[in-house]
């Protein structure tokens, strides 16, 4: 056998071995068990604590607000869209206080003029529509079309 | 209402006609143009080198090692535009550790690895082993140590062993030709297999990519050979230069024919996507397709190199013509990649509109970063030429 091959063959064998060793060490545990992904990630995601409680959980205590919501344009929206994630508050009402947004910009997230949703959501020009007042001074966010005098 | 129109005009200034919202922004930019371009240069340079070795075109001897080192310098950088495009360099190894058998891109990792480890590095090693042993003895200090390491301890330079270098090197080049075809044909396959995109989806794509790769690689070696000779103040071997230009001319004809065939087929078939593709090449791609790729990058070099096959002006004029032609071909092939990658994303899959692409200067997808990936192979090549100068190779003793 030529001396070149006497050196190269073992070198390539070492390279292939290192590649396989690297692969063995780098491929995460449980990869490929159920498909081309790390199966443990399913359990890890399942173990994450919930942040959002959902409308029904809110309605258990705040049934009056839930009823108001159902009767107007915001029926179908989740409470936590405006008030933020409420799981901590649901578990312990005294511990987690939810936010009560009152700024014009918050309403503007959905209601500021936007060409793509002009026929879906009522639009206002924030710079033009009573610019010095808060939206909630006239509109009850739970009953948006019940406009205060 | 007035303000609605203002928003509308603002959005319309970026698109023409109708497009889907997710088509507004191009996912693949300049870096993805560079990926097939650089890979093509590698395959082309290697195939030029194999002409000398396998097909016995002895007149190309002065460019043999130069072509191999050029191929290596560019191959080392070929995947870098992809890595910088994805932006997760620390996860790049996953393409090799957990490849999915249905992912065209994942299999490219192995095609690349095969080409680098089994073809290019081995061929260069066998070609230079005898010289490295001699240089290790002649040089002193650090450089001698590098040569010693590079010989991998095989210091036997008896005629019998050197003959083995030649034999195995020849065998690797023979294996290397289909490997080079595979490497670049595969890059074409990655685009050609995307059936949702009518600008890409053609079985001709791997073949077209392969021939344009050969054209660009040969033009690059032609340019580098002239540049290196100029920097070293050495006389250019005009016979070698004329022969490279001759091969450039032949393969350019083949490349142009194949691309023409693809377009004629497309025009005659006139499928439902034809109208938008016709608008594409006459509109957003007019400059890069008709002017840069076809006129400057193909027709002018074809005419000029074609004339030189019948009429030979004096050496200096020929050198200027070769220099300009090689640069034009390199420009043309760059814009061929541009027209494929960018062009394929400019039109809406609804076939009713276009979006726009503007290159950013800075940033990870920007012009400066892309230019760095074009310049770095030249720096690597300069280093390789310093370490393994083809002109210092010790001629073999007559047997």
């Amino acid at each position: 056998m030529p001396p070149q091959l006497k050196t190269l063959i073992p070198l390539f064998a070492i390279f292939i071995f290192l590649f396989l060793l690297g692969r063995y060490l780098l491929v995460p545990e449980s990869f490929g068990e159920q498909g081309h992904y790390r199966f443990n990630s399913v359990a890890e995601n399942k173990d994450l604590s919930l942040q959002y409680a959902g409308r029904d959980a809110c309605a258990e205590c705040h049934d009056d607000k839930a009823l108001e919501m159902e009767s107007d344009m915001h029926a179908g929206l989740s409470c936590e869209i405006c008030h933020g994630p409420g799981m901590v508050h649901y578990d312990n009402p005294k511990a987690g206080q939810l936010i009560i947004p009152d700024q014009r910009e918050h309403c503007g997230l959905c209601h500021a003029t936007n060409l793509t949703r002009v026929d879906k959501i009522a639009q206002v020009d924030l710079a033009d529509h009573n610019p010095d007042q808060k939206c909630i001074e006239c509109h009850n966010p739970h009953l948006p079309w019940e406009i205060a005098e | 209402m007035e303000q609605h129109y203002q928003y509308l005009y603002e959005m319309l200034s970026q698109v023409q006609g109708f497009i889907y919202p997710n088509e507004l922004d191009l996912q693949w930019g300049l870096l993805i143009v560079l990926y097939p371009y650089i890979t093509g240069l590698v395959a082309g340079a290697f195939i030029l080198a194999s002409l000398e070795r396998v097909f016995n075109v002895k007149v190309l001897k002065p460019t043999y090692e130069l072509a191999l080192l050029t191929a290596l310098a560019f191959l080392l950088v070929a995947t870098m535009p992809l890595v910088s495009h994805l932006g997760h360099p620390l996860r790049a190894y996953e393409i090799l550790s957990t490849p999915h058998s249905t992912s065209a891109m994942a299999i490219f990792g192995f095609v690349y690895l095969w080409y680098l480890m089994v073809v290019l590095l081995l061929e260069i090693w066998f070609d230079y082993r005898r010289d490295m042993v001699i240089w290790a003895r002649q040089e002193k200090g650090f450089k001698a140590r590098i040569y010693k390491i590079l010989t991998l301890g095989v210091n036997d330079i008896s005629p019998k062993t050197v003959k083995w270098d030649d034999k195995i090197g020849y065998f690797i080049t023979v294996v290397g030709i289909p490997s080079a075809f595979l490497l670049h044909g595969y890059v074409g396959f990655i685009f050609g297999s995307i059936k949702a995109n009518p600008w890409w989806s053609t079985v001709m794509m791997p073949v077209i990519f392969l021939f344009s790769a050969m054209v660009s690689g040969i033009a690059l070696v032609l340019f580098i050979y002239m540049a290196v000779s100029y920097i070293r103040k050495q006389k250019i071997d005009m016979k070698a230069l004329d022969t490279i230009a001759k091969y450039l001319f032949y393969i350019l004809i083949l490349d142009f024919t194949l691309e023409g065939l693809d377009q004629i087929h497309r025009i005659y078939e006139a499928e439902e996507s034809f109208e938008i593709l016709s608008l594409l090449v006459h509109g957003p791609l007019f400059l890069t397709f008709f002017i840069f790729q076809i006129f400057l990058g193909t027709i002018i070099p074809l005419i000029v190199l074609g004339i030189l096959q019948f009429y030979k002006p004096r050496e200096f004029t020929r050198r200027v013509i070769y220099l300009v032609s090689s640069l034009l071909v390199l420009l043309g092939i760059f814009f061929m990649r541009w027209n494929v990658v960018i062009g394929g994303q400019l039109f809406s899959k609804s076939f009713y509109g276009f979006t726009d692409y503007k290159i950013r200067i800075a940033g990870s997808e920007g012009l400066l970063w892309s230019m760095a990936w074009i310049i770095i192979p030249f720096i690597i090549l300069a280093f390789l030429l310093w370490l393994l100068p083809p002109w210092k190779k010790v001629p073999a003793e007559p047997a």
Side-chain angles (χ1 to χ4, degrees):
Chain A
M1 189 193 273
Q4 295 96 322
L5 293 187
K6 272 184 202 160
T7 309
L8 283 178
I9 291 171
L11 265 181
F12 266 78
I14 291 171
F15 176 77
I16 293 169
F17 171 75
L18 286 177
F19 179 83
L20 293 175
L21 182 73
R23 186 172 187 275
Y24 174 75
L25 295 173
L26 289 170
V27 173
E29 196 191 336
S30 83
F31 185 90
E33 248 173 54
Q34 297 290 325
H36 200 79
Y37 64 101
R38 195 170 59 85
F39 185 56
N40 282 355
S41 65
V42 175
E44 282 166 23
N45 279 315
K46 223 166 74 184
D47 290 344
L48 290 175
S49 57
L50 288 176
Q51 301 292 316
Y52 288 87
R55 255 153 57 111
D56 294 344
C58 305
E60 283 177 25
C61 300
H62 305 283
D63 48 346
D64 52 332
K65 301 285 183 218
L67 271 175
E68 274 184 15
M69 288 259 294
E70 286 306 317
S71 66
D72 208 329
M73 288 301 281
H74 281 176
L77 292 191
S78 174
C79 314
E80 290 159 305
I81 289 178
C82 292
H83 294 293
M87 199 63 194
V88 178
H89 176 70
Y90 176 68
D91 284 341
N92 181 1
K94 284 180 186 159
Q97 280 304 310
L98 296 188
I99 49 166
I100 303 173
D102 63 351
Q103 296 300 309
R104 288 172 65 81
E105 287 71 24
H106 183 82
C107 303
L109 290 175
C110 296
H111 293 289
T113 313
N114 185 322
L115 199 69
T116 58
R117 53 195 182 208
V118 72
D119 55 346
K120 305 274 192 306
I121 302 173
Q123 307 276 289
V124 287
D125 184 350
L126 287 184
D128 186 45
H129 183 78
N130 301 325
D132 300 327
Q133 279 178 285
K134 289 180 175 174
C135 308
I136 57 168
E137 285 175 25
C138 299
H139 301 274
N140 175 355
H142 301 118
L143 292 163
W145 283 119
E146 189 193 85
I147 296 167
E149 291 299 316
Chain B
M1 249 348 241
E2 230 168 80
Q3 214 163 15
H4 287 175
Y5 282 120
Q6 203 184 321
Y7 286 124
L8 184 67
Y9 287 139
E10 204 178 299
M11 286 174 78
L12 286 182
S13 71
Q14 291 169 44
V15 301
Q16 296 170 43
F18 175 82
I19 66 161
Y20 295 121
N22 60 344
E23 293 171 329
L24 189 66
D25 192 33
L26 262 67
Q27 301 298 315
W28 291 354
L30 188 56
L31 285 169
I32 307 298
V33 176
L34 286 186
Y35 159 64
Y37 186 56
I38 294 179
T39 322
L41 295 173
V42 177
F46 181 85
I47 288 164
L48 183 68
S50 65
L51 277 176
E52 195 271 338
R53 191 84 189 249
V54 178
F55 300 106
N56 228 2
V57 188
K58 285 292 166 215
V59 71
L60 290 180
K61 183 72 188 136
T63 60
Y64 171 66
E65 279 91 7
L66 190 65
L68 280 184
L69 296 178
T70 304
L72 179 62
F74 279 82
L75 187 67
L76 291 174
V77 177
T79 56
M80 289 300 134
L82 294 179
V83 174
S84 33
H85 166 76
L86 293 171
H88 276 283
L90 295 178
R91 279 167 42 180
Y93 69 87
E94 286 179 17
I95 199 172
L96 294 168
S97 65
T98 54
H100 198 296
S101 57
T102 60
S103 157
M105 201 62 231
I107 305 305
F108 177 80
F110 290 94
V111 174
Y112 175 86
L113 199 62
W114 164 268
Y115 193 74
L116 175 69
M117 298 299 295
V118 180
V119 177
L120 213 45
L121 283 181
L122 272 190
E123 178 160 349
I124 293 173
W125 187 77
F126 277 109
D127 190 61
Y128 274 96
R129 193 192 63 84
R130 176 174 168 275
D131 304 281
M132 289 191 296
V133 174
I134 297 170
W135 291 337
R137 289 172 192 163
Q138 287 171 349
E139 298 282 341
K140 279 178 193 148
F142 183 64
K143 216 172 169 183
R145 210 168 298 162
I146 297 179
Y147 288 132
K148 242 178 215 163
I149 295 168
L150 287 178
T151 59
L152 304 174
V154 188
N155 293 317
D156 184 351
I157 49 170
S158 64
K160 201 177 142 201
T161 317
V162 171
K163 210 171 173 193
W164 270 113
D165 280 335
D166 200 44
K167 269 188 191 165
I168 303 173
Y170 178 83
F171 174 73
I172 290 169
T173 320
V174 173
V175 175
I177 295 170
S179 303
F181 277 47
L182 177 70
L183 178 80
H184 206 68
Y186 199 89
V187 178
F189 170 76
I190 290 174
F191 286 96
S193 61
I194 298 179
K195 64 181 169 193
N197 191 319
W199 186 235
W200 292 341
S201 177
T202 154
V203 282
M204 295 285 281
M205 200 60 115
V207 190
I208 290 174
F209 261 57
L210 183 61
F211 276 87
S212 54
M214 284 196 239
V215 169
S216 66
I218 293 172
L220 179 70
V221 176
L222 185 69
F223 169 73
I224 287 179
Y225 178 55
M226 292 172 79
V228 168
S229 303
Y230 177 78
I231 293 166
R232 292 183 54 233
K233 298 192 175 62
Q234 291 294 312
K235 200 172 164 352
I236 294 176
D237 183 334
M238 278 314 280
K239 267 190 183 163
L241 209 60
D242 285 336
T243 312
I244 301 176
K246 190 173 76 184
Y247 280 105
L248 180 62
F249 173 64
Y250 291 160
I251 296 176
L252 198 56
I253 292 177
L254 281 174
D255 180 43
F256 190 46
T257 313
L258 285 169
E259 286 204 39
L261 192 62
D262 184 40
Q263 294 303 342
I264 289 168
H265 199 252
R266 212 188 279 278
I267 293 166
Y268 189 74
E269 269 192 345
E271 284 186 9
E272 66 215 303
S273 60
F274 179 68
E275 213 169 317
I276 189 83
L277 296 183
S278 170
L279 285 171
L280 175 76
V281 292
H282 289 99
L285 288 190
F286 184 80
L287 192 67
T288 54
F289 187 72
F290 285 113
I291 307 297
F292 291 155
Q293 184 189 333
I294 296 183
F295 182 68
L296 288 177
T298 312
I299 291 179
I300 299 264
L302 261 183
I303 292 174
V304 174
L305 294 174
I307 290 171
L308 288 191
Q309 304 307 311
F310 304 104
Y311 163 72
K312 286 252 181 296
R314 60 200 178 90
E315 268 191 33
F316 179 76
T317 321
R318 265 173 19 235
R319 281 208 294 270
V320 174
I321 290 174
Y322 291 151
L323 179 71
V324 175
S325 306
S326 65
L327 290 174
L328 281 178
V329 166
L330 284 169
L331 176 94
I333 300 295
F334 173 81
F335 278 103
M336 182 260 173
R337 314 297 191 218
W338 172 282
N339 292 329
V340 170
V341 176
I342 304 294
Q345 300 171 84
L346 284 181
F347 66 93
S348 167
K349 303 306 169 286
S350 67
F351 302 157
Y352 284 116
F354 294 104
T355 184
D356 202 3
Y357 176 60
K358 288 189 181 68
I359 304 173
R360 286 173 225 149
I361 300 290
S364 63
E365 289 275 328
L367 183 67
L368 293 175
W369 209 205
S370 305
M371 277 167 66
W373 289 130
I374 283 287
I375 293 167
I376 289 168
F378 286 98
I379 297 170
I380 298 175
L381 180 63
F383 170 75
L384 289 174
L385 287 174
W386 168 80
L387 188 68
L388 305 168
W391 46 88
K392 283 193 185 160
K393 274 174 81 73
V394 188
E397 293 145 26

